[in-house]
Amino acid sequence: MTVLPNSRLKWMDRSQWFYKTAVMFCAILFFAGCSVEQNTITSKVFHNVTAHYNGYYYAREKAVEVEKLITKTLDDDPTEILRLFAGLDTTNAKTYVKDTEEIIKMASISIQRHPNSKWVDDNYIMVGLARLYACDFQNAILTFKFVNTKSPSPDTRHTALLHLLRTFTEQGDYDRADEVFRFLEKEKLTKENAKKLYLEKAYLYQLRHDYNNMVYNLSMADSLLVRKDRKGRIYFIIGQVYQKLGFNAEAYNFYRKCLTTNPEYEIDFYARLNMAQVANIQDKRDSKLVRKQFEKLLADAKNQEFKDKIYFEYGEFERKQGLVPEAIAKYKLAAHAGTSKRIQGQSFLRVGQLNFDSLKKYSQAKLYYDSAIMTLPKEFENYNAIKKRQEVLGQFVTYTETITLNDSLLRLAAMDTSLLRKQLDSAFAARDKKIASAKKRKKRSESGSGSSTNQNSAFNNNESTTTSDWYFGNSSLVASGQTEFQRIWGSIPLEDNWRRSNKSNVIIDRPVAETKPAEVVTKPTVVAESAPVAKVDEAGKVLKSLPYTEKQKSELLAKIEDAYFKLGDLYYFNLEDRLNAAESYQKLLDRFPESELEPESLYKLYLIYQETDLVKAAMYADRLNLEHPNSTFAKILINPNYLKETSVAAEKQKLIYKEAYALFQKNNLRAAQDKIDQALQVGETNFTPQLDLLKVLIVGRTEDVAKYQFELEGFIKKYPAEPMKAYAEELLASSKALLDKLERAKGIQYSTTTTGPHYFVTVYNNSDRITNPVADALDKFNAGQWKNLKLTTSNLALTDDKTLTMTVEFADRESALSYFDKFLAQLSNAKPFSNYKFYNFVITKDNFQTFYRTKALDEYLTFFDRNYQKQSQ
């Protein structure tokens, strides 16, 4: 063993002492730096690192988890424009409330323990985000505003404002959201914040259905997007918006960009499908390429659940190319290729529309419209218009087929009889030959199916030669049969006794008697020779049915004339299709110049063109006065009151009723009442009950509930057999609830003194988002005709769902009512007032205080009608 000298040992002791002293000194410095009061380098490093990697880090990770949960709530329908972000709602917020509470807890601890760190503002942003995700919008707004006010970092302030913008958007406060992004647009932002601003603005515009600004901001964000932003989804949305706006070339480019990002399968599928819709077809080669793409999508096994959608879009493509039969075939396949009722209904609707508009096969169109209405959801776009056409299509088919059939009979009657006989014989012979051939093929097919196994094998080898003749081998026939079956029986499950209302199977046990072979008695069967079937002379039957005499021809022409007129009425009054109505009336005039219906047809053409073409309207009016000066309708043009002395009073009442109801809908009750009185002066007709009922409805708006109920009861007693009685009974029942409401509101008292200063008030729904347009329209109106009064306009929130805009102030009742009347005459028919529901009235300054305090809109409207409108009549 080696022994160290004493000097060596002393040196080692001193080294250890220095080492321990240095460690202790560093530890003292480190723990001294942990103090909140210290502002040393070590203190800053400690607090920054701890605040970042403890509180903020865990809060940020938890926020990412919450964002993923929110994203999962997206209910995407790729047939509509996808939402850019998932909406926030309190129901979903309850599912992750523990996570948002944890975010607030972690961020708050970091703020409290490390108040001097540079991560304080970021932790406050985490608190604000948690409150936003929890739908605690008011506290989220306060938090983001605090960061924007206190943070020394511009980037952090901008981040807080971006979250504030999202909060206002989710809250539906679009005006304040506009203010935030207008401010941010003036700031110098980082690339990350600039990208977020473009996306937030696009989301705001999407909720406001402003697709032009939406797609502009998404396009601006394009160059700033990274993979984590789900670029494929954003490109798909841009393509959808461009497609909706009609920019197919741009839509095609963004769908293609979407595919390059390898998006989710459903997005990938719909991107390819939409590319086929917007492809620029310039020649036949382009069409072939698109069809090849569709066939490729159909052949892909992964697209099995999307086949109905593929077939439908395939049909849309063929329809746009003008290939109607091909489009119909694809729509029929779409109707039976999947389980989506929406696509099935759309397919039926398209086939019905093509049969109606292009092929003029109105009977077929009616069948498919019936199927469409039975299948489509009630919230489908233009559902009411589709249902209306379906309801009147039965009458429509009757009139159009009357015209077609009788025209055909008249044309055949005008042909040479011998030549016609030859053509008919040839046509019937060809038909019989085709039927006989079909029967032979069917018999051959049945014998083949009942043969032995080797025969079946041989049959299967020749399947290609017989499949097209077999019903179940022809997909078009099968689809047509399924459509017809569903039209008659509806969508029913596949089960036994499907036609019976009671589907319980009744099994009766009976003793079965055994039959012995010896007991079977065979009787001789006498086979009688069948008599030869006489061949029916079908051509002769057709010839006998043709109209050869002048009387027969006149009868058919009269039916055609009447059908044209009723068809025009159907278009005009039921389908509200003025263009086709005018065409039907014009065909009647051109074909039957001496028709008794000519004066009425000219008058209706005058009414149709009075709204669209004043020159044509004047032409028809002049022709009516010149050619039929003594007709009822010519006298109507000169004197509207003439109808009360004629037999066409009901028609006059209908026309006046139309004007009265329009005024009633605009709440111009005085003018509506005047119109009804004018119509009732015509006399008692079968249309009088509808006039009386509208009169009762006006009473409901101008009188108290008791008077309204009294009038309804009187109407029900007066017209016990009228169809309108049921509707009146419904109104009477619902008015009882209104009476209860008025009883509860008896404590609200408005002053009947209507002298002194007045306000003009218009009330509308918050959901319409029209506060600025309304105020602008009133300001412009005030600056024009009422400049001397120096009127001002202001907006107030009345309730959670209603806002009011008021014009102040008028010196007295008369000037306020004058303003009110001119408003109804000039502004109520212009935008935005003509597009939304408004409640307009004038009110004294004192009553406005009561009104705004109680929010009793219905009660004041009743007071207004009683004390202003009724007295002014």
Side-chain angles (χ1 to χ4, degrees):
M1 184 174 72
T2 306
V3 179
L4 295 173
N6 290 334
S7 59
R8 181 72 168 168
L9 289 172
K10 291 178 180 178
W11 181 84
M12 290 180 65
D13 290 339
R14 284 197 298 271
S15 298
Q16 290 175 359
W17 180 81
F18 281 120
Y19 175 75
K20 290 178 180 179
T21 303
V23 169
M24 290 179 64
F25 179 74
C26 290
I28 291 168
L29 289 175
F30 177 77
F31 286 110
C34 295
S35 174
V36 175
E37 289 77 13
Q38 295 292 328
N39 196 25
T40 61
I41 295 176
T42 54
S43 176
K44 290 179 180 179
V45 170
F46 171 78
H47 287 294
N48 286 337
V49 171
T50 308
H52 183 197
Y53 291 104
N54 281 345
Y56 176 77
Y57 176 80
Y58 289 112
R60 178 65 255 178
E61 289 298 304
K62 189 62 70 174
V64 171
E65 293 178 14
V66 172
E67 288 165 1
K68 289 180 180 178
L69 292 174
I70 294 172
T71 301
K72 286 182 181 179
T73 64
L74 275 169
D75 186 16
D76 284 343
D77 179 8
T79 61
E80 303 290 336
I81 296 176
L82 301 184
R83 281 181 69 106
L84 197 56
F85 300 120
L88 301 177
D89 64 77
T90 53
T91 303
N92 289 328
K94 291 176 182 178
T95 63
Y96 50 77
V97 63
K98 291 184 179 179
D99 294 327
T100 53
E101 289 174 352
E102 184 68 16
I103 294 170
I104 294 174
K105 178 182 176 183
M106 297 302 298
S108 299
I109 290 174
S110 180
I111 293 169
Q112 293 169 3
R113 294 182 181 179
H114 311 288
N116 295 329
S117 76
K118 65 180 182 180
W119 294 95
V120 171
D121 296 333
D122 299 273
N123 279 298
Y124 271 119
I125 289 178
M126 287 296 104
V127 173
L129 270 180
R131 289 170 173 171
L132 170 60
Y133 296 153
C135 297
D136 184 5
F137 297 126
Q138 294 303 323
N139 284 320
I141 290 170
L142 292 175
T143 306
F144 294 135
K145 285 184 176 181
F146 174 80
V147 175
N148 180 52
T149 305
K150 300 296 183 181
S151 177
S153 169
D155 293 342
T156 305
R157 293 199 302 271
H158 296 157
T159 302
L161 287 175
L162 287 167
H163 293 313
L164 182 64
L165 171 57
R166 170 67 74 85
T167 307
F168 285 141
T169 302
E170 293 293 346
Q171 196 179 20
D173 193 347
Y174 299 147
D175 291 338
R176 288 205 283 177
D178 282 343
E179 293 175 6
V180 174
F181 82 67
R182 300 291 180 205
F183 174 79
L184 284 171
E185 285 176 338
K186 301 173 185 177
E187 296 287 297
K188 185 177 181 180
L189 305 178
T190 63
K191 287 185 177 181
E192 180 67 18
N193 283 339
K195 175 188 69 179
K196 289 180 179 179
L197 176 60
Y198 287 130
L199 294 177
E200 293 293 348
K201 286 168 62 180
Y203 180 54
L204 172 63
Y205 285 124
Q206 182 179 27
L207 296 183
R208 298 167 81 169
H209 304 290
D210 185 351
Y211 294 112
N212 283 307
N213 280 314
M214 176 190 176
V215 78
Y216 171 78
N217 282 280
L218 288 177
S219 300
M220 294 297 291
D222 181 10
S223 60
L224 303 172
L225 295 174
V226 295
R227 187 174 184 82
K228 69 177 183 179
D229 295 319
R230 301 173 77 188
K231 293 171 68 173
R233 179 186 177 84
I234 292 176
Y235 289 151
F236 182 77
I237 293 173
I238 296 174
Q240 284 184 307
V241 178
Y242 272 129
Q243 185 176 355
K244 183 179 181 68
L245 295 175
F247 298 102
N248 290 343
E250 293 295 329
Y252 186 90
N253 292 335
F254 275 98
Y255 286 138
R256 190 167 57 183
K257 286 183 73 172
C258 169
L259 295 177
T260 62
T261 64
N262 193 24
E264 300 170 2
Y265 180 74
E266 191 172 14
I267 296 292
D268 181 285
F269 167 76
Y270 278 98
R272 296 180 188 277
L273 201 60
N274 292 350
M275 283 176 69
Q277 295 178 26
V278 299
N280 183 19
I281 308 299
Q282 295 182 345
D283 52 35
K284 290 184 178 180
R285 287 179 299 176
D286 294 334
S287 299
K288 287 182 179 179
L289 287 174
V290 173
R291 290 189 181 93
K292 188 176 180 181
Q293 179 68 17
F294 276 119
E295 296 297 339
K296 186 178 179 181
L297 289 170
L298 288 168
D300 193 338
K302 296 194 296 295
N303 295 334
Q304 185 66 31
E305 62 178 301
F306 300 119
K307 272 194 171 184
D308 53 349
K309 180 64 178 174
I310 299 172
Y311 275 125
F312 181 79
E313 295 301 338
Y314 203 165
E316 291 284 271
F317 171 77
E318 299 291 12
R319 180 177 65 85
K320 291 175 183 176
Q321 307 310 307
L323 303 174
V324 174
E326 289 80 357
I328 288 177
K330 297 300 183 293
Y331 290 134
K332 287 181 178 179
L333 291 171
H336 304 286
T339 58
S340 171
K341 291 292 183 184
R342 190 180 187 88
I343 293 177
Q344 188 180 52
Q346 284 180 288
S347 302
F348 289 142
L349 178 61
R350 278 285 189 259
V351 178
Q353 288 172 337
L354 289 175
N355 276 295
F356 185 95
D357 297 320
S358 301
L359 302 179
K360 307 300 181 185
K361 295 181 178 179
Y362 303 113
S363 299
Q364 285 292 317
K366 181 184 182 302
L367 297 178
Y368 282 101
Y369 265 96
D370 291 343
S371 299
I373 286 298
M374 196 162 49
T375 312
L376 286 172
K378 287 184 171 54
E379 62 273 12
F380 186 76
E381 184 181 4
N382 295 326
Y383 180 86
N384 291 333
I386 296 167
K387 185 172 179 61
K388 196 170 185 179
R389 172 167 281 195
Q390 177 252 350
E391 289 171 350
V392 302
L393 210 48
Q395 301 172 51
F396 187 90
V397 168
T398 300
Y399 301 145
T400 52
E401 288 189 346
T402 297
I403 295 170
T404 304
L405 174 62
N406 292 338
D407 274 340
S408 298
L409 293 175
L410 289 169
R411 279 197 301 270
L412 291 175
M415 293 176 64
D416 179 72
T417 306
S418 58
L419 178 61
L420 178 60
R421 176 79 191 210
K422 287 181 182 179
Q423 291 182 352
L424 289 173
D425 286 337
S426 176
F428 286 125
R431 185 203 63 182
D432 293 340
K433 185 178 180 181
K434 187 175 181 181
I435 292 173
S437 177
K439 285 182 178 179
K440 286 182 180 179
R441 287 196 299 267
K442 183 178 179 181
K443 188 175 181 179
R444 200 182 309 125
S445 175
E446 289 174 352
S447 64
S449 62
S451 59
S452 61
T453 306
N454 60 344
Q455 288 173 329
N456 285 333
S457 177
F459 172 81
N460 291 332
N461 290 336
N462 296 323
E463 185 179 6
S464 60
T465 63
T466 59
T467 298
S468 61
D469 298 325
W470 188 46
Y471 173 81
F472 289 103
N474 190 322
S475 58
S476 296
L477 286 176
V478 171
S480 178
Q482 288 174 334
T483 301
E484 180 66 9
F485 178 87
Q486 191 173 34
R487 183 188 69 79
I488 298 172
W489 297 102
S491 298
I492 58 175
L494 182 63
E495 58 186 359
D496 293 336
N497 301 315
W498 55 270
R499 286 182 293 181
R500 303 174 68 175
S501 58
N502 183 5
K503 295 181 175 57
S504 57
N505 294 324
V506 181
I507 301 175
I508 303 175
D509 295 329
R510 295 178 180 173
V512 180
E514 293 183 3
T515 304
K516 296 180 181 180
E519 296 174 353
V520 177
V521 180
T522 305
K523 295 181 179 181
T525 304
V526 179
V527 180
E529 291 185 5
S530 58
V533 180
K535 189 175 181 180
V536 179
D537 184 11
E538 293 181 286
K541 282 187 174 183
V542 172
L543 291 172
K544 288 180 181 180
S545 66
L546 295 180
Y548 291 111
T549 67
E550 290 299 322
K551 183 180 178 181
Q552 290 174 327
K553 291 179 182 179
S554 297
E555 288 175 354
L556 294 186
L557 287 170
K559 289 180 180 179
I560 294 173
E561 178 185 353
D562 184 63
Y564 271 126
F565 183 76
K566 289 181 177 177
L567 193 60
D569 282 353
L570 199 65
Y571 272 126
Y572 188 33
F573 295 109
N574 297 95
L575 297 178
E576 296 181 1
D577 186 346
R578 289 178 171 79
L579 185 63
N580 279 316
E583 184 179 348
S584 296
Y585 293 134
Q586 189 61 56
K587 284 182 178 178
L588 170 65
L589 297 176
D590 294 341
R591 190 165 176 183
F592 304 96
E594 302 298 326
S595 172
E596 293 181 356
L597 298 170
E598 185 177 73
E600 188 172 355
S601 299
L602 288 170
Y603 179 69
K604 288 176 178 175
L605 284 167
Y606 160 76
L607 293 178
I608 290 170
Y609 286 111
Q610 196 176 29
E611 299 178 8
T612 57
D613 191 336
L614 294 176
V615 175
K616 277 192 175 182
M619 179 191 74
Y620 286 114
D622 292 341
R623 182 177 169 186
L624 178 59
N625 288 323
L626 182 64
E627 297 180 10
H628 307 279
N630 296 321
S631 69
T632 300
F633 297 96
K635 294 176 181 179
I636 292 173
L637 290 176
I638 301 171
N639 178 19
N641 294 324
Y642 176 78
L643 281 179
K644 65 183 178 181
E645 302 170 359
T646 68
S647 61
V648 290
E651 290 299 322
K652 172 62 177 176
Q653 285 182 333
K654 289 178 183 179
L655 296 173
I656 299 174
Y657 176 85
K658 205 171 183 180
E659 298 176 13
Y661 189 72
L663 292 168
F664 174 77
Q665 286 183 311
K666 295 175 182 177
N667 210 36
N668 194 350
L669 303 179
R670 286 177 292 171
Q673 181 66 54
D674 292 340
K675 286 290 181 183
I676 292 174
D677 292 339
Q678 180 186 345
L680 290 173
Q681 288 175 6
V682 171
E684 188 78 17
T685 69
N686 59 357
F687 195 72
T688 302
Q690 284 185 271
L691 293 168
D692 283 341
L693 186 57
L694 183 57
K695 192 174 182 179
V696 173
L697 295 178
I698 293 176
V699 170
R701 290 193 182 183
T702 56
E703 302 288 347
D704 57 32
V705 178
K707 174 69 172 174
Y708 176 54
Q709 290 186 355
F710 176 78
E711 293 293 337
L712 281 173
E713 289 171 352
F715 179 87
I716 293 168
K717 290 177 182 178
K718 187 176 180 181
Y719 302 108
E722 282 292 325
M724 303 298 294
K725 176 190 172 186
Y727 180 57
E729 289 174 337
E730 289 179 13
L731 293 175
L732 183 60
S734 63
S735 69
K736 294 178 181 179
L738 180 60
L739 187 60
D740 292 339
K741 183 177 179 181
L742 289 175
E743 286 295 327
R744 291 194 299 270
K746 277 185 176 178
I748 301 171
Q749 296 292 332
Y750 289 107
S751 173
T752 56
T753 302
T754 57
T755 58
H758 275 67
Y759 299 159
F760 169 78
V761 178
T762 182
V763 181
Y764 44 89
N765 294 324
N766 291 339
S767 58
D768 294 335
R769 309 294 175 198
I770 53 173
T771 301
N772 290 336
V774 169
D776 292 343
L778 288 175
D779 284 337
K780 187 175 180 181
F781 182 61
N782 296 339
Q785 302 182 38
W786 309 90
K787 186 175 182 181
N788 295 334
L789 296 183
K790 297 182 180 179
L791 301 173
T792 59
T793 302
S794 58
N795 304 314
L796 287 174
L798 181 60
T799 62
D800 291 339
D801 60 345
K802 283 188 170 51
T803 299
L804 67 83
T805 298
M806 49 192 276
T807 300
V808 297
E809 69 182 42
F810 299 93
D812 49 36
R813 167 196 172 108
E814 288 70 24
S815 59
L817 280 177
S818 177
Y819 183 93
F820 175 79
D821 290 337
K822 288 191 176 181
F823 169 85
L824 291 181
Q826 299 175 20
L827 273 194
S828 62
N829 295 324
K831 293 182 179 180
F833 301 100
S834 60
N835 295 343
Y836 301 93
K837 184 174 181 62
F838 288 85
Y839 303 93
N840 308 306
F841 53 87
V842 297
I843 187 169
T844 63
K845 190 173 183 179
D846 293 336
N847 279 340
F848 181 79
Q849 304 303 322
T850 305
F851 167 74
Y852 192 71
R853 184 182 71 253
T854 61
K855 317 295 184 187
L857 177 60
D858 292 339
E859 289 75 7
Y860 185 77
L861 289 174
T862 302
F863 175 86
F864 173 72
D865 290 336
R866 196 178 295 160
N867 292 275
Y868 287 87
Q869 296 216 105
K870 188 176 178 183
Q871 294 178 15
S872 300
Q873 291 179 358

